[in-house]
């Protein structure tokens, strides 16, 4: 009688779906960051942007971050004196198989203080529009502040104002409860 060996069991892991499946969809974001309005005498500002998205999203074209030129207030009589114009182009394409983690744009507005140091003047976040079309979006920016007057004074003396470790923090939900 022939000897039989026990059946060999191999563990098979399901193959991860490739983003080349026919179920993938594309999202293209094309436009520009035009300008910013500031009521105070802040000048010499530049804009930094970055995109954040979920784990299933892949960038197929373009870059996920950029840095504009330093711009000054316009005093041309056409625009208001509190507007700073960047006209900073944005062009990126994503591919995904589900909508979880829809792309968001994180903005950081930075500038130079009186001593020439880089200082964050505002953070803002924007969900990319989920339907096709032409949009004009306004982003309200904010700046984190120290918790006490003493810390604010020490920050002013040292020139080290509060800022987020990761500028994409404004587009994420985790840890936002500790900010105010």
């Amino acid at each position: 009688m022939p000897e039989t060996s026990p059946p060999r069991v191999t563990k098979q892991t399901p193959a991860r779906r490739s983003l080349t499946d026919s179920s993938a969809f594309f999202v293209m974001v094309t436009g520009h960051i035009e300008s910013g309005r500031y009521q105070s005498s802040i000048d010499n500002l530049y804009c930094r942007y970055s995109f954040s998205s979920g784990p299933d999203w892949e960038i197929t074209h373009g870059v996920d971050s950029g840095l504009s030129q330093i711009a000054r207030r316009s005093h041309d009589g056409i625009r208001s004196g509190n507007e700073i114009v960047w006209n900073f182009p944005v062009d990126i394409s994503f591919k995904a198989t589900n909508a979880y983690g829809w792309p968001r744009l994180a903005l950081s507005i930075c500038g130079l203080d009186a001593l020439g140091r880089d200082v964050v003047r505002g953070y803002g976040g924007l969900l990319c529009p989920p339907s096709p079309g032409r949009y004009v979006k306004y982003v309200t920016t904010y700046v984190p502040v120290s918790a006490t007057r003493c810390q604010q004074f020490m920050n002013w003396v040292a020139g080290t104002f509060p800022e987020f470790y990761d500028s994409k923090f404004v587009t994420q939900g985790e840890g936002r409860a500790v900010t105010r």
Side-chain angles (χ1 to χ4, degrees):
M1 201 183 263
E3 243 179 74
T4 60
S5 60
R8 183 188 297 177
V9 176
T10 58
K11 184 177 179 185
Q12 293 182 342
T13 56
R16 183 178 159 115
R17 291 179 83 177
S18 170
L19 288 182
T20 59
D21 290 343
S22 62
S23 63
F25 62 93
F26 292 88
V27 173
M28 295 180 285
V29 179
T30 303
H32 65 279
I33 300 169
E34 184 179 330
S35 62
R37 291 189 184 117
Y38 290 89
Q39 297 299 328
S40 63
S41 61
I42 297 172
D43 213 352
N44 295 326
L45 297 178
Y46 61 93
C47 178
R48 181 182 304 141
Y49 79 86
S50 58
F51 282 92
S52 65
S53 57
D56 190 40
W57 291 75
E58 177 184 317
I59 296 174
T60 59
H61 171 72
V63 294
D64 69 337
S65 62
L67 183 69
S68 76
Q69 79 281 359
I70 294 178
R72 297 180 56 93
R73 291 183 182 282
S74 58
H75 298 288
D76 59 1
I78 298 171
R79 296 184 182 267
S80 65
N82 62 355
E83 191 167 13
I84 296 175
V85 178
W86 293 294
N87 286 332
F88 187 33
V90 175
D91 186 17
I92 190 167
S93 297
F94 296 94
K95 181 174 23 172
T97 56
N98 66 46
Y100 176 76
W102 194 268
R104 294 178 176 265
L105 176 68
L107 294 173
S108 300
I109 309 300
C110 303
L112 303 174
D113 65 1
L115 299 175
R117 299 174 294 203
D118 276 335
V119 177
V120 175
R121 301 293 187 180
Y123 290 104
L126 175 70
L127 181 69
C128 293
S131 58
R134 186 179 186 110
Y135 295 91
V136 175
K137 296 288 187 176
Y138 295 94
V139 179
T140 303
T141 60
Y142 62 93
V143 179
V145 294
S146 298
T148 65
R149 295 271 185 211
C150 181
Q151 287 176 335
Q152 290 175 2
F153 177 74
M154 293 303 294
N155 289 338
W156 179 76
V157 169
T160 55
F161 299 100
E163 57 185 64
F164 295 133
Y165 179 75
D166 182 12
S167 62
K168 293 181 183 180
F169 178 75
V170 298
T171 63
Q172 301 167 354
E174 301 123 23
R176 295 286 303 273
V178 297
T179 62
R180 45 181 179 112

